[in-house]
Amino acid sequence: MAAAQRMRNQRVNEPTSQRFLLVVSLCLLILAGGCQEPVSPATGSASPEFAVDVDILPSIAPPTTRSLHLFFDELDYSWEELDDGVPPFILERFPEDLDRQTRKRKQTFFMGLLPLVLLANQEIEAERGRFQEIMARVDQGETVDPSDSQWLQDLVSSYRLTGSPLVDHGLRRQILTRIDTIPPSLVLAQAANESAWGTSRFAREGNNLFGEWTFRKGAGIVPARRDPQANHEVRIFADLYQSVRSYLKNLNTHNAYRELREIRARLKQDGQTVSGRDLVHGLKRYSAREEEYVAEIDAMIRQNRLSRVNRTYLRQSPAETAVESSRPGAGLFASRQTLSAQTSTLREDP
């Protein structure tokens, strides 16, 4: 954490003009990188043939809201024009001054978070697609190679199930019920609610947007009002993307959200579109306030017109050149891999 803090301090202390120059330079490199191929707006993510490689995306940690919006401007990324797609990038954390914003806070929050949600959903779609492809080959009598066999074992374990889908068709159905996307509208609304629009202590100190816990002592942030008998801590994530990924996995695996998964499966089986306002009814156990909490999240989706984000998509923009031209840990742009490695021991959930 000391190294990560030093990196944060370096970014904050850079001259404003230098930060802006770095932003503009990297944006231009990304835009010059080539195509912006549209992907399927029906799913709000990338289709397999146009999947975005997360590892090569620019990873940014803007110190100010102004610098973040300059980044948006250079990418022609507008909250009012989501039909033009969303540029893929990793926002490590929200700007330091977000809590001092009034007019731009909501827009900044949603625009910074939306690419991460689409990217995380894309990962889930890729997992689902690979699983279905392997099962199709098995049903045709083909032998599963060792790498696919190990991948299946890891997949079953990561989704908190047991058994072998190679022989258990019931397990296959369970897996497909869990490996599925969450509408971006629901993710944005719940993140805004749980993190006070990215300004809560846990969001600022731990990149934790959804209030997720860990029971590994010393691995997280101790809540100020924690019951003396309690031993949970609030998880710390290396960046906001890891928080989003963990949240989606939580909804897709925890028994508390079985109803959410069942609603989603029924809608898909009936050929209907899955919306955030449909799935919000499966979140009663996310809060002790239950139905009141569900109504609150539903109202946030409605009042902020978030249903429209379910129809947008990730642009396809090769970013290898941009990544290679930015030094890890220097300036506004830091290596997401480096930061993840430095804080990995703080992010592990028991």
Side-chain angles (χ1 to χ4, degrees):
M1 286 299 291
Q5 184 62 54
R6 285 196 297 273
M7 290 165 63
R8 282 195 288 269
N9 292 339
Q10 288 169 2
R11 293 192 191 96
V12 171
N13 293 331
E14 286 174 347
T16 300
S17 59
Q18 182 182 358
R19 292 201 302 269
F20 281 11
L21 179 60
L22 284 165
V23 173
V24 174
S25 298
L26 185 52
C27 289
L28 292 176
L29 283 167
I30 294 171
L31 292 173
C35 65
Q36 293 182 350
E37 189 72 41
V39 294
S40 171
T43 59
S45 186
S47 57
E49 61 269 33
F50 295 120
V52 177
D53 186 349
V54 174
D55 291 332
I56 64 171
L57 294 181
S59 182
I60 66 171
T64 65
T65 302
R66 182 186 177 193
S67 60
L68 180 56
H69 277 274
L70 178 63
F71 182 79
F72 294 158
D73 291 343
E74 291 297 330
L75 292 178
D76 293 322
Y77 177 27
S78 168
W79 185 245
E80 289 72 31
E81 299 177 7
L82 292 179
D83 289 344
D84 294 336
V86 176
F89 59 87
I90 300 295
L91 180 65
E92 294 182 17
R93 66 177 186 278
F94 284 108
E96 302 284 349
D97 65 347
L98 185 61
D99 60 340
R100 296 191 293 275
Q101 301 299 315
T102 52
R103 184 174 61 87
K104 286 190 174 182
R105 181 185 299 176
K106 287 187 177 183
Q107 180 177 311
T108 303
F109 181 84
F110 288 144
M111 291 181 70
L113 190 56
L114 182 55
L116 311 185
V117 178
L118 297 179
L119 286 164
N121 269 336
Q122 174 189 273
E123 284 194 54
I124 294 172
E125 287 182 327
E127 278 189 327
R128 184 182 178 90
R130 182 175 179 183
F131 177 77
Q132 290 176 313
E133 189 269 334
I134 294 173
M135 292 302 102
R137 287 193 280 114
V138 169
D139 290 342
Q140 292 171 1
E142 295 185 25
T143 301
V144 178
D145 62 52
S147 62
D148 281 342
S149 180
Q150 183 60 55
W151 183 83
L152 286 172
Q153 291 180 35
D154 294 341
L155 183 76
V156 170
S157 176
S158 71
Y159 278 89
R160 300 183 184 179
L161 295 168
T162 58
S164 172
L166 299 176
V167 296
D168 188 340
H169 286 261
L171 178 59
R172 291 189 193 183
R173 289 190 293 272
Q174 282 185 287
I175 291 174
L176 288 173
T177 299
R178 296 190 177 203
I179 308 178
D180 213 338
T181 59
I182 300 293
S185 58
L186 180 62
V187 185
L188 295 185
Q190 203 170 6
N193 183 280
E194 294 289 334
S195 72
W197 300 95
T199 67
S200 71
R201 175 194 172 202
F202 303 130
R204 294 171 67 86
E205 296 181 13
N207 289 316
N208 191 325
L209 297 175
F210 303 95
E212 289 192 76
W213 292 2
T214 178
F215 290 91
R216 289 184 65 231
K217 186 175 182 180
I221 302 170
V222 178
R225 297 184 181 87
R226 188 180 69 176
D227 188 285
Q229 305 303 316
N231 61 354
H232 70 275
E233 298 178 9
V234 176
R235 291 186 65 185
I236 293 175
F237 295 97
D239 54 41
L240 297 173
Y241 186 54
Q242 301 308 320
S243 178
V244 171
R245 294 176 76 236
S246 179
Y247 157 83
L248 295 182
K249 181 61 71 68
N250 190 32
L251 293 191
N252 279 333
T253 57
H254 201 290
N255 286 335
Y257 314 118
R258 179 181 298 176
E259 182 181 359
L260 179 147
R261 298 191 293 270
E262 291 174 348
I263 294 171
R264 180 177 61 190
R266 284 197 302 269
L267 289 171
K268 296 190 74 170
Q269 186 175 5
D270 293 341
Q272 299 183 42
T273 301
V274 180
S275 74
R277 297 191 66 186
D278 291 321
L279 298 195
V280 72
H281 299 288
L283 289 177
K284 288 191 289 289
R285 295 182 61 187
Y286 206 97
S287 167
R289 295 186 293 128
E290 297 189 345
E291 293 291 352
E292 181 184 348
Y293 180 79
V294 167
E296 189 169 282
I297 301 300
D298 184 62
M300 292 185 74
I301 295 174
R302 185 179 68 256
Q303 292 165 5
N304 292 285
R305 298 177 53 241
L306 292 179
S307 292
R308 67 193 185 99
V309 304
N310 298 335
R311 298 187 296 273
T312 193
Y313 57 88
L314 282 172
R315 302 174 193 168
Q316 180 75 12
S317 299
E320 292 91 340
T321 304
V323 172
E324 290 172 1
S325 65
S326 61
R327 293 182 294 106
L332 184 61
F333 301 95
S335 165
R336 184 171 62 87
Q337 292 87 346
T338 299
L339 185 57
S340 296
Q342 291 171 337
T343 60
S344 61
T345 57
L346 298 180
R347 295 188 289 109
E348 295 173 359
D349 207 22

